[in-house]
Amino acid sequence: MFYFCAKTTTTLVFFPLLIYVWCSRFGFSYATEIEIDPTTGDQPPKETTPRLVTATFVNQLPRTTVNLYWTGSSSTTGDDDTFTTTGLQLFYGPIEPGGGNRVVEGYENQIFVLTKAGTYERLGEFVTTSSGAKSTSQTFILTKDDANKFQDSFPPDPFESKEREDQSQRCRSISKASSSKNRFFERCEACSRVEGCGYSLVRARSWTSASDAGDWCFASHTLATVNNPRECQELNDIKEARTKTVDAWLNAATFLLVHGEEEESGQSQRMAFRYLEQAMERAKQMMLEEKKGKNSVLAAKKANAALLEQSAKLNAVFDELDALELLSQSRHPKLAAIHPDMPMVPRRTVKEAMEYIARGEPVIITNTFDSTFNPVTHKWTLDYMSRNVFGHTGGGGDGGEVPKFNVAADVVTQCCQYFEPQGKAKANGYPYPFAPTTHLYRDSFDEFVKTIRKASRQAYNVGANSTNLLSLSPKRTLHYLHEIVMNSKGEVVVAGGPAPQPLVEDLDAVTAQMKRLANLQPFFGGFANAKVWLGQKDIVMPIHYDSIDNLYIMSWGRKKAIVGEPGQLDSLYRYPNGHPLAGSSRVNLTNPDLKRYGQFQKAKLREVVVGPGDVLYLPAWWWHQFEQPFEDTAALNLWSKDRERAPDASLRDRRIREHLLADRLEDAVVQHFDSSSAAGAVLQALAKEEEEDDD
């Protein structure tokens, strides 16, 4: 172990005293020791004697208190130049403005970061060095000019993303210039022969011969586009629908999705899509031959549902213009009237996103899996998960029982706001029963799949010449499966029991890949758990927050989110902590009521859309509402836990202090009343949706 002893040589004034009291309240003390590389656990060679460094950090900013953090060793920040940014790992306390200083006794090649106190905003970064002697002293001075230069470096120039956007626009121009009457091969070949361009099977299918206005050529995507002429030819050779029955085409597609080779997973997904197109063509031929007989109609509905399901797997968010168009299509009118200019969460490459993650800022990482196989992105489909992962007997129960999964269900306008009984609420006498309309039930994975596939078949009128979405009932029921697949011990589980080996292997691969990004999160201490989310189009999970960082990996479908900065309790009207919906907002973002929640117009909100292959980093305490306005979706999220001796979140980010103070006030209310029922009545009054006097 390397030992670092930090001390301040200035007189304590109010802010440092407040920090000290805050730390004491949570049993936290400043760091005194670190490992040379907490990320890998590496130790220096025994024959190497590390050189001692006494480092003095001086804050010459006139009015800004800064926090001192250690982020790691400069020699172990990554195995290539892609991962050189480091996440905060140890807290050494505040340094006062106007010449305050802090002395750290440690070793060479250690990275220290100074942030504006109460934020993740980096103002300076320093690396200890040595003069070759066994010990040396160094002084690092943070000046106003240096801090300004460091601040100006964020956000970093998205050079790679700009290049990709320019590339995508060049590829889009191929769509607009093409005059080919061949609806597949010639267009696919014209697009994919241009370096960096890929042909979207799904987008090409969405444009009829009478309307060529849409784009089908984009910057190449590891999953969602055909990226070379050879594959265009292979896919074009699959065009004799009459040679097989509808069921034969469907079975051929299922075989590819379940048993496709890992190294060809993207091509298998695209080949399956072409098989399903042939199934649809064969079903339409049957309808003409049988004059829409019952069997042909059923076959057409089944083929159409399967094609829509696979379309969701291959319909990515291709570029920023695509994201903006999707957001404009899906905005809620009343919300857009109140917040017409919500900024979009940036879409960045891995290298560009590192600084966002290190600063606790939401970001979409667009190319995480461009050069590596990821099971969630490249392999997971309903068929694969049913046959290989969740549909197995023997997992999650004794004696070979079929595992049961958590599913939320409600009518379309209310799905899904569910709750889990709060022990604190019961202890404080909150007046139960509390019964939101959303209810939870448990079902096998195969039965859940049957439920959502049946709904998909019933949603469309399939004809020999056209397929139309029916006018759906506003009272139809939606279903949302959500299940923990990795517990707090890091064990892969299914319905709380042992997991089949394919799922273990998949999650081992995913967590290994995602740890590179997770290590950039402030005070990352490992993954807390993982959860899979599968749900139908039109589901909305109302706005709420979680107290831990989240990496959200899209498997299929495009999902929209509205996110808000931490805090904002006055504008987002948080339910009290003892309420069954603790952590949620009382404001309905799909139809906000300013008469009741007038301060909502001051809320700071952003919007985002993610698709297959995207990873959304959602920092702890950020409000978020996930919506599914485009199609059915599936995602896996990885929640993180803080490392040992991490400072309380309210020390790192002052916006979180609102939550802490509100919780303390609520606790004081409960303690004030001798009767728990009286306390519960007060808590209920705090949560009532009464008109607010905002004058």
Side-chain angles (χ1 to χ4, degrees):
M1 306 291 283
F2 287 115
Y3 293 89
F4 280 74
C5 303
K7 58 185 178 181
T8 182
T9 60
T10 53
T11 305
L12 285 174
V13 292
F14 176 73
F15 185 79
L17 180 60
L18 178 61
I19 292 289
Y20 172 77
V21 172
W22 211 286
C23 290
S24 300
R25 173 67 179 84
F26 291 97
F28 173 78
S29 59
Y30 300 147
T32 60
E33 59 181 39
I34 59 172
E35 297 175 359
I36 187 155
D37 184 5
T39 303
T40 65
D42 291 343
Q43 295 292 332
K46 292 183 178 180
E47 64 273 13
T48 301
T49 302
R51 297 182 178 91
L52 298 172
V53 176
T54 299
T56 302
F57 298 90
V58 181
N59 176 17
Q60 288 203 349
L61 302 182
R63 292 180 297 274
T64 303
T65 301
V66 299
N67 282 345
L68 176 62
Y69 295 97
W70 175 75
T71 66
S73 168
S74 63
S75 61
T76 55
T77 54
D79 53 7
D80 55 51
D81 61 0
T82 303
F83 292 90
T84 54
T85 301
T86 51
L88 306 181
Q89 299 188 42
L90 287 175
F91 178 45
Y92 282 88
I95 305 177
E96 301 166 43
N101 64 82
R102 186 170 291 275
V103 179
V104 173
E105 296 175 352
Y107 293 91
E108 61 185 336
N109 299 325
Q110 304 302 309
I111 306 172
F112 291 87
V113 168
L114 292 172
T115 72
K116 182 183 291 185
T119 76
Y120 290 125
E121 182 180 342
R122 298 191 176 200
L123 302 179
E125 182 177 292
F126 307 97
V127 180
T128 58
T129 60
S130 70
S131 61
K134 289 185 177 181
S135 63
T136 187
S137 297
Q138 286 182 288
T139 299
F140 300 99
I141 300 174
L142 179 65
T143 66
K144 187 174 182 180
D145 287 343
D146 291 338
N148 288 340
K149 290 178 183 178
F150 211 87
Q151 286 177 299
D152 291 342
S153 67
F154 185 83
D157 181 27
F159 176 78
E160 293 177 339
S161 291
K162 286 178 182 176
E163 286 228 321
R164 182 174 178 82
E165 289 298 316
D166 291 343
Q167 176 68 36
S168 196
Q169 295 314 306
R170 289 192 291 270
C171 298
R172 281 175 178 258
S173 68
I174 298 172
S175 306
K176 295 174 173 58
S178 175
S179 60
S180 170
K181 297 302 181 183
N182 186 313
R183 300 303 298 173
F184 179 73
F185 176 70
E186 290 183 23
R187 288 186 171 191
C188 181
E189 196 268 344
C191 174
S192 63
R193 73 184 176 194
V194 178
E195 185 177 358
C197 292
Y199 178 80
S200 169
L201 296 167
V202 176
R203 297 295 177 91
R205 184 177 176 80
S206 66
W207 309 114
T208 67
S209 57
S211 173
D212 293 328
D215 291 331
W216 33 260
C217 189
F218 302 92
S220 60
H221 189 282
T222 181
L223 174 69
T225 59
V226 181
N227 301 318
N228 63 77
R230 177 185 54 79
E231 187 181 348
C232 292
Q233 184 64 60
E234 292 174 355
L235 296 175
N236 188 59
D237 291 342
I238 308 168
K239 56 186 178 184
E240 294 299 329
R242 289 183 180 274
T243 61
K244 292 184 174 72
T245 65
V246 172
D247 283 341
W249 284 116
L250 293 174
N251 291 336
T254 299
F255 182 86
L256 277 177
L257 297 177
V258 174
H259 302 292
E261 295 294 329
E262 179 177 306
E263 60 271 15
E264 298 178 353
S265 54
Q267 188 170 349
S268 295
Q269 297 286 346
R270 296 186 289 272
M271 185 72 77
F273 182 87
R274 285 290 284 164
Y275 285 168
L276 295 172
E277 284 188 313
Q278 299 310 304
M280 193 67 209
E281 288 302 311
R282 184 69 189 100
K284 289 181 177 181
Q285 293 168 3
M286 288 175 58
M287 295 180 77
L288 290 173
E289 294 164 358
E290 301 177 12
K291 297 182 179 180
K292 295 189 71 171
K294 182 178 180 181
N295 289 338
S296 64
V297 171
L298 290 176
K301 283 182 172 288
K302 184 161 59 170
N304 182 65
L307 187 58
L308 288 172
E309 190 176 300
Q310 188 62 11
S311 296
K313 187 68 179 177
L314 300 179
N315 206 357
V317 181
F318 288 106
D319 52 31
E320 190 164 314
L321 177 60
D322 201 19
L324 290 170
E325 290 174 347
L326 290 167
L327 289 172
S328 68
Q329 296 168 16
S330 58
R331 291 192 179 105
H332 307 294
K334 288 189 70 173
L335 178 62
I338 298 169
H339 293 283
D341 300 313
M342 287 186 286
M344 187 172 72
V345 173
R347 297 176 56 81
R348 296 291 183 262
T349 65
V350 170
K351 189 172 182 178
E352 296 162 348
M354 293 188 301
E355 192 67 24
Y356 287 86
I357 299 173
R359 290 171 178 254
E361 285 284 325
V363 66
I364 305 161
I365 305 100
T366 58
N367 68 337
T368 310
F369 312 121
D370 274 6
S371 59
T372 183
F373 171 79
N374 177 269
V376 174
T377 296
H378 294 96
K379 190 161 64 171
W380 282 17
T381 63
L382 283 180
D383 284 320
Y384 171 81
M385 297 170 82
S386 181
R387 302 288 183 91
N388 294 341
V389 178
F390 294 139
H392 275 204
T393 59
D398 297 328
E401 296 177 5
V402 177
K404 302 286 186 178
F405 296 81
N406 289 312
V407 183
D410 207 338
V411 296
V412 64
T413 56
Q414 297 174 221
C415 187
C416 296
Q417 187 176 56
Y418 63 91
F419 78 102
E420 297 175 4
Q422 302 285 328
K424 186 171 184 179
K426 290 185 176 182
N428 293 344
Y430 193 89
Y432 275 84
F434 171 81
T437 57
T438 298
H439 71 279
L440 298 178
Y441 69 96
R442 295 184 67 78
D443 203 354
S444 70
F445 189 82
D446 290 343
E447 289 301 315
F448 170 77
V449 171
K450 288 179 183 178
T451 297
I452 60 175
R453 283 180 168 169
K454 180 180 179 181
S456 181
R457 290 195 299 272
Q458 294 175 342
Y460 286 84
N461 178 34
V462 182
N465 298 311
S466 63
T467 300
N468 301 304
L469 180 65
L470 297 173
S471 178
L472 301 175
S473 168
K475 295 185 179 180
R476 69 188 186 280
T477 299
L478 300 179
H479 302 263
Y480 201 16
L481 184 148
H482 53 101
E483 187 70 32
I484 293 290
V485 290
M486 185 177 73
N487 62 26
S488 59
K489 298 178 181 179
E491 301 167 338
V492 180
V493 295
V494 169
Q501 189 60 27
L503 181 61
V504 175
E505 293 172 359
D506 285 354
L507 288 188
D508 283 349
V510 171
T511 53
Q513 291 170 347
M514 298 310 295
K515 189 166 285 189
R516 297 194 305 171
L517 291 174
N519 277 324
L520 297 168
Q521 296 170 183
F523 296 96
F524 174 71
F527 293 118
N529 51 51
K531 199 170 193 178
V532 66
W533 305 84
L534 284 81
Q536 293 171 279
K537 178 181 181 295
D538 294 327
I539 283 175
V540 173
M541 286 291 288
I543 189 166
H544 62 284
Y545 63 85
D546 301 303
S547 60
I548 47 182
D549 285 345
N550 186 353
L551 287 167
Y552 201 88
I553 309 167
M554 288 304 300
S555 182
W556 68 79
R558 295 161 298 176
K559 185 171 286 195
K560 173 186 173 181
I562 301 167
V563 301
E565 294 182 11
Q568 302 196 82
L569 303 193
D570 56 342
S571 56
L572 287 175
Y573 297 86
R574 185 190 79 159
Y575 279 103
N577 199 39
H579 192 277
L581 294 177
S584 299
S585 169
R586 286 177 278 161
V587 181
N588 177 3
L589 263 59
T590 61
N591 188 26
D593 185 352
L594 284 184
K595 290 184 178 180
R596 180 169 290 177
Y597 305 115
Q599 294 298 318
F600 174 67
Q601 61 188 331
K602 298 179 182 179
K604 298 176 182 178
L605 302 175
R606 307 178 194 181
E607 57 185 356
V608 56
V609 60
V610 288
D614 288 340
V615 177
L616 171 63
Y617 168 58
L618 190 62
W621 300 94
W622 278 72
W623 296 86
H624 51 281
Q625 172 164 304
F626 280 115
E627 305 178 0
Q628 302 181 178
F630 310 111
E631 57 260 332
D632 294 0
T633 72
L636 175 80
N637 80 290
L638 295 168
W639 279 303
S640 301
K641 58 187 176 184
D642 279 348
R643 62 188 301 115
E644 292 183 9
R645 294 179 294 172
D648 188 82
S650 58
L651 282 175
R652 302 176 242 162
D653 188 339
R654 64 168 61 98
R655 295 170 297 185
I656 298 170
R657 295 174 192 172
E658 287 187 49
H659 297 272
L660 185 68
L661 293 173
D663 292 346
R664 294 292 172 264
L665 176 61
E666 184 180 327
D667 289 342
V669 169
V670 172
Q671 293 173 9
H672 180 75
F673 293 94
D674 293 332
S675 167
S676 62
S677 60
V682 174
L683 296 176
Q684 184 184 36
L686 289 172
K688 278 186 176 179
E689 298 183 349
E690 300 173 337
E691 290 190 7
E692 304 285 341
D693 182 7
D694 295 310
D695 296 334

